[in-house]
Amino acid sequence: MADASIPTPTQEESKVSPAELKKRAKAEKQARRAAQKEQQGVVVNGDNLAAQATEAAPSTPSQLPKVDRPPKAQQQQQKQPKPSSSSQPQAMPVRQRPSQSGAPKPILKKDAPKEDHKQVELFSHLYTQSRHHTFDGVSKDVHPAVLALGFQISSYEICGSSARCVAMLLAFKEAIQAYTTPTGTSLARHLTQHYLSPQIDFLKTCRPISESMGNAIRWLKKLIVEIDPNTPEQEAKDDLCELIDAFIRERIIVTDQAIAASASRQIRDGSVVLTFAKSSIVEKTILQAHANGVSFRVVVVDSRPLFEAKSLATSLMHAGLEVEYLPFSAISHAVKQATLVLLGAHSMLGNGRLMSRIGTAGIAMQAAKADIPVIVCCESVKFSGKVALDSIVLNEVAPAEELLLRQVAKQSDIPEEDGSKGKPSDDAKSEATKVKTMADWKDITNLQVLNLMYDVTPAEYIRMVICEYGSLPPSSVPVVHRLANEGM
Amino acid sequence: MPAAIVGETPSLSTFLKSLKSTDVESSIDLFISLLKRRQIKNSRPCALATAQLLLRVVAATRIRDVQQLIDRISEVGRRLVAAQPREMAVGNIVRRILGVVREVAEEDERDGSLGSGRVSGAASPDPSEARRPFLTKTFSGMSPLGQSVTVPHDFHPRVKTPMIEYTSPPGFDASAEREVKRPVLPSSASYAGLPPVSSLLSLLEDPLARSPIPTPPPGSSPRIQPMGKITESKEKIDVKAEVIDGIKELLDELEVVDNQIAENALDHIHSNEIILTHTSSQTVQKFLMTAARKRKFTVVHAEAYPNNHDETHATIVNGGKKGTGDEEEVDERWKPLTSMGITVILIPDTAVFALMSRINKVILAPHSVLANGSLLAAAGASTIALAAKSHRVPVVVLSGVYKLSPIYPFDTHELIEYGDPGKVVSYEEGEFMDKVDVINPLYDWVDADCVDLYITNLGGCAPSFLYRIVADHYRTEDIDLGGKGSS
């Protein structure tokens, strides 16, 4: 999963006219971003960006200083140049960007302060980090493998708590191998502070790191500190890599197998298993039960904007299972037939609550109300010492554009219609008469779009948590967390 | 005024236009096929089309006796309901129009039987005795309804309840007594608001005596006056004209229903509230707009993917009036809430539970409301209502009386309609569509205990009270349209 090719912005150069267009749009956006950063007084890499923007779009210099939309639009440019690529069929629909389709609008409409209005106030604490999608401003210390991983994570190509954790550890392995201790210091002292930290920081800018990644990083740091300073460097690095491999094997791969074996025993003949989004353990569990010869049905519930469950449904379909696929709005119908709900986890919180893909709480609630057992499959590496009462404080806000994209892509007839009316760009003048679409949401004051990643399921909806230590009630999560993540 | 596309795709507006030119029978067939093809869907368009069509039917029917008219309407109604049984608004409107006819017929009979000797408003025992032979049939048929109406009132009818079941005269005693107890009645009756169409109370009362009762719908006043005139002049009522008046009044009610509901907005929305709503309901938008004129609050709008999200987005961006089919009101400007200074936060349906802990109130629009206080609404509503319940957030349902159906949800499953799975997964993904069951239910059933308040055009009421409003609006003999019907 970690070996997908590094998407580079340089690919754009190979294309002729559409690429040129996109480059211009991108340059414009970078300029916008730079302008915003300058306004905010954050001069992290603003000059850098602006400089790059000017050289990228020399033909449209007049557009540069003009900021026509709030600069929050930090999308994934590196994916943009190849929308027809079939290598990431899953990520593509979400990643398309509506505003790049036309030429940049040279209308000064919104200033940077407007930006704040597009952030939902309740979640303002979660907007602090904007996602990184380009090479710009990346510390030179960041290892290419980590760089690639970062982009894959931010584009959801690597998605899911354990997948991200494994991919991170593998990338760190490469990074560690490429590391040489500077003279005058020791590996144990220097590696974490000066080499690993920038890597981790970079990953954090791509997407907030998951609990499993946090646990793994903590474990790795502890490991590095404990290295005997007298060990030769290469040997220490080999040891580290071996231990990382062992960690992945023990804490994730074998654990997954153990959990799948244990959880699949909950699936009996005639069961109807309900699951939501995509969890690799749930998938393994279902496939395991299927391999065991149990005859059962699977109901898969999917949600916008990631449509993760579709790939789950596809893989179960290919395995020959009887699969039913429903949109999230249909969960009351899904629950009606189900006999068992299997859920994956982003993290199990210390107070027994489950943090998982947004929507999980709704499913668990419906199932609990219908007295259907809700079982969470979760490796202990995802157990967390954090506690949360609701989904507000601990969460992740994804770019709101992701919510619009698919729908805009689907209604591709709308821009055409606009075109036939002969006024694609000057909607500022005829604002009152023009029929706006959701794609214009940034221009509409008071309209906000919220795209949360996770929600917190109350512990009372969860009947059982299956981890490699066995099956527990949610109240035992902190005990296992201490045992597994802190006691070692 | 309608947009250009109207000419091509059949919709409510094309149907209403064609109604004027085509003959009744083909209009009925056209409506049936539009219903079957879902080209007229959702409660309001269905209700409007049904009322307009029945107006035509009544106008075109030559009636010698009222029963004939009732038979004709129920026959057409049966066909319409059979075409699309899950659009309950169709059946509701048919029932209410039947109620109008029956009411007119009874007044007619009463007038006929009372003759010119009747002056005072109170029904005296003697005339009631005199018309008993006429009324026995309908009256005994209505006794269960009569009980359900009288019981909540006070102890007076309760004493007489056993007698009501045996013979009709005690019922008239009760009515006579209630006439005496006037001060009590308006308060309880105004709760139901005495809508234009018949209620049992109005049946038992004299039309003259009924007029002082407050009738909130503006459309209802014109009707009562001519009726009073007619009664006073002791002429035989022109049944057809009366029925047409009644249907027109019903149409008026359909038109003003949103405004009437919206009048309650300020009683329920206070400043700085965070309100969650779902789907692109016109009623809800109007309600929120009314509140927005006076107060600032925040609206969290769940988008109802995959069946209604486009409309929801359009509603958020362009305002309440949706362009789906019913363009005849397009000239009326519906400002989006955002332009009134209301912060609107669009969320996917999945985020409902996550946000519910911060929501102050949930406002839902039903597809139809059932007699026990439960409701059918767009898919996803059940999750919202349950999440609200588990967070102790009040759920307010805005529903015109025309959505109130006398049906009891014995089997909630059969009330649910399933939509196009292509909206969930594109048909282009052939293998997936082939091997995976893709299901797209359109409605959710929400239990009555998840709802805290209904706001109808008659005012607010608890879900447990809805059966009363049902009793006020529909005749028992009309409830089962599909079966033996009226006679």
Side-chain angles (χ1 to χ4, degrees), chain A residues 145-395:
Chain A
V146 178
L147 208 58
L149 170 68
F151 293 143
Q152 284 166 332
I153 285 178
S154 75
S155 65
Y156 304 108
E157 257 173 79
I158 295 180
C159 191
S161 185
S162 8
R164 273 152 72 195
C165 178
V166 171
M168 179 193 72
L169 287 172
L170 290 174
F172 281 178
K173 239 176 76 182
E174 275 186 59
I176 287 170
Q177 282 298 351
Y179 167 82
T180 44
T181 318
T183 45
T185 179
S186 69
L187 180 136
R189 286 190 184 173
H190 184 264
L191 178 64
T192 314
Q193 278 273 280
H194 297 96
Y195 187 68
L196 232 38
S197 290
Q199 323 274 351
I200 294 163
D201 288 343
F202 168 72
L203 286 183
K204 277 182 186 167
T205 65
C206 293
R207 236 187 104 179
I209 59 169
S210 69
E211 197 53 47
S212 54
M213 290 161 91
N215 279 333
I217 289 169
R218 233 167 288 140
W219 165 83
L220 185 62
K221 283 181 174 170
K222 204 173 169 199
L223 202 65
I224 293 168
V225 170
E226 282 166 357
I227 292 172
D228 186 356
N230 299 326
T231 327
E233 189 184 307
Q234 191 54 45
E235 196 181 309
K237 289 198 288 191
D238 288 345
D239 279 354
L240 274 179
C241 292
E242 233 167 78
L243 283 168
I244 288 175
D245 278 338
F247 183 92
I248 294 173
R249 206 166 46 240
E250 281 170 22
R251 297 295 300 276
I252 293 170
I253 295 174
V254 178
T255 296
D256 279 4
Q257 285 164 1
I259 294 174
S262 160
S264 65
R265 283 198 291 274
Q266 301 294 331
I267 303 175
R268 300 185 182 89
D269 275 326
S271 287
V272 179
V273 178
L274 171 64
T275 183
F276 175 62
K278 182 177 195 283
S279 156
S280 55
I281 309 188
V282 169
E283 184 177 355
K284 277 198 190 90
T285 303
I286 291 170
L287 291 175
Q288 172 94 52
H290 184 62
N292 292 348
V294 182
S295 74
F296 63 103
R297 232 152 42 86
V298 185
V299 180
V300 178
V301 176
D302 208 349
S303 71
R304 244 163 59 83
L306 291 174
F307 296 102
E308 296 162 292
K310 209 163 174 185
S311 76
L312 172 69
T314 311
S315 89
L316 296 181
M317 165 189 96
H318 287 309
L321 273 148
E322 199 184 325
V323 186
E324 209 168 278
Y325 178 88
L326 296 116
F328 185 80
S329 58
I331 56 177
S332 62
H333 306 264
V335 163
K336 229 177 262 169
Q337 340 163 13
T339 60
L340 175 72
V341 179
L342 281 180
L343 296 174
H346 171 73
S347 159
M348 282 301 299
L349 301 172
N351 51 349
R353 297 194 170 210
L354 161 71
M355 189 170 176
S356 192
R357 178 68 66 238
I358 186 141
T360 308
I363 303 249
M365 172 189 68
Q366 287 269 17
K369 201 209 148 221
D371 267 335
I372 297 161
V374 176
I375 296 176
V376 178
C377 303
C378 180
E379 303 99 332
S380 66
V381 75
K382 292 179 184 172
F383 285 19
S384 163
K386 289 178 199 158
V387 289
L389 287 172
D390 54 32
S391 320
I392 315 270
V393 184
L394 279 184
N395 214 321

Side-chain angles (χ1 to χ4, degrees), chain A residues 123 304 310 323-325 327 329-333 361 366 369 390 406-407 411 436 445-448 450, chain B residues 303 305 310 317-318 338 342 344-346 353 355 358 380 382-383 386 416 425 429 437 439 441 443-444:
Chain A
F123 294 89
R304 244 163 59 83
K310 209 163 174 185
V323 186
E324 209 168 278
Y325 178 88
S329 58
I331 56 177
S332 62
H333 306 264
Q366 287 269 17
K369 201 209 148 221
D390 54 32
R406 200 195 108 93
Q407 168 238 344
Q411 318 175 311
K436 287 190 210 149
T445 37
N446 294 322
L447 176 60
Q448 301 170 339
L450 180 65
Chain B
E303 63 181 357
Y305 182 83
D310 288 337
V317 175
N318 296 315
T338 49
I342 301 299
V344 178
I345 305 172
L346 174 75
F353 193 96
L355 285 169
R358 296 296 178 276
S382 132
T383 312
L386 266 184
I416 308 290
V425 179
E429 293 169 66
D437 290 332
I439 294 172
Y443 304 126
D444 255 357

Side-chain angles (χ1 to χ4, degrees), chain B residues 249-261:
Chain B
E249 221 168 274
L250 196 58
L251 283 165
D252 287 347
E253 183 197 319
L254 289 178
E255 216 155 86
V256 296
V257 80
D258 284 348
N259 291 324
Q260 288 177 334
I261 292 173

